[in-house]
Amino acid sequence: VQLQASGGGLVQAGGSLRLSCAASGRTFSRYVMGWFRQALGKERDFVAAISWSGGTTIYANSVKGRFTISRDNGENTVYLQMNSLKPEDTAVYYCASGTAFTGLPYEYDSWGQGTLVTVSS
C-alpha cells in the first residue's frame, strides 16, 4: 500500500492542525491505521491508532484529550486532528498501516513519507 501524508506546517502553541493520510494499493478498510512522530534526534514514537472499522482508538498519554484520530474508509483516508498544540509536539508525523491494533511501530508494515509539524512558542 502507498501512503501519502499531508497537512503539516508551522503553527503557534495552542493552535490546531489536521493531518491527512491518503492510502492506495490495497483494501484500506481491512487495516489498522496509526500515526507516529519523530522529533529531531529522537526515536519514532506512537501517537494514535484506529481499528479497521474506526470503532476503536488508542492514544499516547502525551496527546490524549488533545488529538483525535479518525478515518473515512470510503475515501481511503485517515486523519489526525491536533488541538492545543505544544512546542513539544514538533516532529515529523508519519502514518502507517498494519494488521495489529497496537502502538508498536514494528507491527506496521507500510509507512508514509512523513509531514513536518512545527509548533512555535
Side-chain angles (χ1 to χ4, degrees):
V1 65
Q2 291 76 47
L3 301 173
Q4 181 73 37
S6 61
L10 174 64
V11 63
Q12 288 189 331
S16 298
L17 280 176
R18 189 176 81 154
L19 306 183
S20 300
C21 176
S24 62
R26 66 181 181 186
T27 306
F28 177 76
S29 61
R30 294 181 180 176
Y31 295 94
V32 172
M33 296 298 297
W35 285 98
F36 294 79
R37 66 186 182 186
Q38 188 166 18
L40 190 64
K42 297 187 176 181
E43 294 185 349
R44 190 168 298 188
D45 291 332
F46 169 72
V47 175
I50 188 166
S51 62
W52 63 271
S53 68
T56 307
T57 57
I58 51 174
Y59 296 92
N61 287 336
S62 59
V63 306
K64 202 172 294 183
R66 300 188 298 123
F67 291 11
T68 302
I69 188 171
S70 61
R71 67 191 296 164
D72 185 337
N73 286 342
E75 295 293 328
N76 287 0
T77 302
V78 62
Y79 304 97
L80 186 68
Q81 177 66 45
M82 305 185 295
N83 299 329
S84 302
L85 282 161
K86 305 174 181 180
E88 51 264 43
D89 294 319
T90 295
V92 177
Y93 283 72
Y94 298 89
C95 58
S97 71
T99 56
F101 187 57
T102 176
L104 299 173
Y106 60 79
E107 294 285 0
Y108 291 79
D109 56 9
S110 294
W111 292 81
Q113 85 290 358
T115 185
L116 177 62
V117 172
T118 303
V119 184
S120 63
S121 56

